[in-house]
Amino acid sequence: IAERLRADVEAGTFPAGSKLPTEAELAARFRVNRHTVRQALSNLEQDGLIQVTQGRGRFVAPSLVDYQLGARTRFSQNLAALARTPGREVIDVVRVPADATVAEALELSVGAFVWRAETTGAADGVPLSHSFHYFSVDRFPELDRVIREEGSITRALARAGVTDYTRRTTRLSAQLSDGDDAEALEMAPRRPILQSENINVDAAGRPLEYGISRFAGDRLQVVVETRDLG
């Protein structure tokens, strides 16, 4: 059953990103019980060919997104350059005191107030990232409202007078998804995710944003532009 379904995927019967028939439908097609179908689907999931989305069903794994990482990393621009349709949703923007990590990144005192914007990003409707962006409240007193209005970090910063910024540092690490990330990325818990911690700076080299993004590890691969490496 697994090999027949694999052949269907390769033949385009079930394109990348499409939803597979239910267990009951597959059991009827192959004239077996649902337990047997479930075993076959589990094998395909372990091979990375299909993905389980909680509450929605099983889908053929989308083709990997080549996510460009360079001096000017912009989520929407990256996907548009790949002829992918980007999607960005602002979940919430709240004022919180900076912990030691955020304070050091933004060169603030611990406890200084910062805006924390939570966003999700998608490619062709498939969830790709779950991110948190931190900005100084003193420097951008109305950024929470502007982010909500624009639905875009880049456009919100432009309205605040920052028309360009660059990536100073990026730290990548591999983790397993927890409940919040699994829900935001519509993936099963304990699946691989790629975490990116970054600091963006303005034209004067002053820290502008500290960000943490968690990407679905089986939906993208990071491409580093060597021309951006010193």
Side-chain angles (χ1 to χ4, degrees):
I1 292 171
E3 290 307 314
R4 289 279 297 278
L5 291 175
R6 189 187 303 275
D8 286 343
V9 171
E10 293 174 351
T13 304
F14 301 126
S18 65
K19 186 176 181 179
L20 289 176
T22 65
E23 289 181 5
E25 291 170 336
L26 290 173
R29 171 187 170 184
F30 293 109
R31 298 181 181 180
V32 296
N33 60 45
R34 293 177 62 174
H35 177 71
T36 301
V37 169
R38 196 174 297 122
Q39 287 182 312
L41 293 172
S42 178
N43 290 339
L44 295 177
E45 183 183 0
Q46 291 176 3
D47 291 343
L49 188 68
I50 66 174
Q51 299 173 344
V52 178
T53 301
Q54 292 178 318
R56 295 180 59 197
R58 294 178 174 87
F59 293 79
V60 179
S63 56
L64 288 176
V65 173
D66 284 340
Y67 194 79
Q68 297 285 340
L69 191 64
R72 287 177 174 81
T73 299
R74 308 288 189 268
F75 182 84
S76 295
Q77 293 178 10
N78 271 355
L79 297 183
L82 297 171
R84 299 291 188 103
T85 302
R88 173 74 82 179
E89 180 181 1
V90 177
I91 304 301
D92 198 9
V93 186
V94 295
R95 191 179 76 157
V96 297
D99 62 19
T101 300
V102 174
E104 180 181 3
L106 295 179
E107 297 180 4
L108 302 172
S109 300
V110 173
F113 284 113
V114 295
W115 297 119
R116 183 186 68 196
E118 180 182 2
T119 66
T120 57
D124 298 329
V126 178
L128 195 65
S129 67
H130 181 214
S131 306
F132 294 89
H133 315 261
Y134 296 86
F135 307 89
S136 168
V137 169
D138 284 342
R139 184 174 182 184
F140 302 107
E142 298 185 3
L143 194 61
D144 60 328
R145 174 181 59 81
V146 179
I147 289 176
R148 291 191 184 96
E149 291 176 355
E150 292 291 343
S152 163
I153 299 296
T154 300
R155 292 197 301 268
L157 288 174
R159 280 182 55 180
V162 182
T163 57
D164 190 28
Y165 55 93
T166 56
R167 182 71 56 91
R168 185 170 75 182
T169 60
T170 299
R171 180 181 291 109
L172 300 174
S173 59
Q175 300 185 15
L176 295 177
S177 60
D178 61 14
D180 290 340
D181 289 322
E183 181 179 358
L185 295 171
E186 298 182 5
M187 62 193 302
R190 309 293 295 173
R191 297 291 296 172
I193 60 174
L194 180 65
Q195 175 171 291
S196 170
E197 294 183 65
N198 60 272
I199 299 175
N200 289 325
V201 298
D202 59 19
R206 183 182 176 187
L208 173 75
E209 173 193 3
Y210 170 67
I212 301 176
S213 294
R214 299 184 181 99
F215 298 91
D218 51 2
R219 300 175 192 171
L220 91 165
Q221 55 190 3
V222 175
V223 179
V224 179
E225 293 288 345
T226 55
R227 62 189 177 190
D228 291 323
L229 300 178

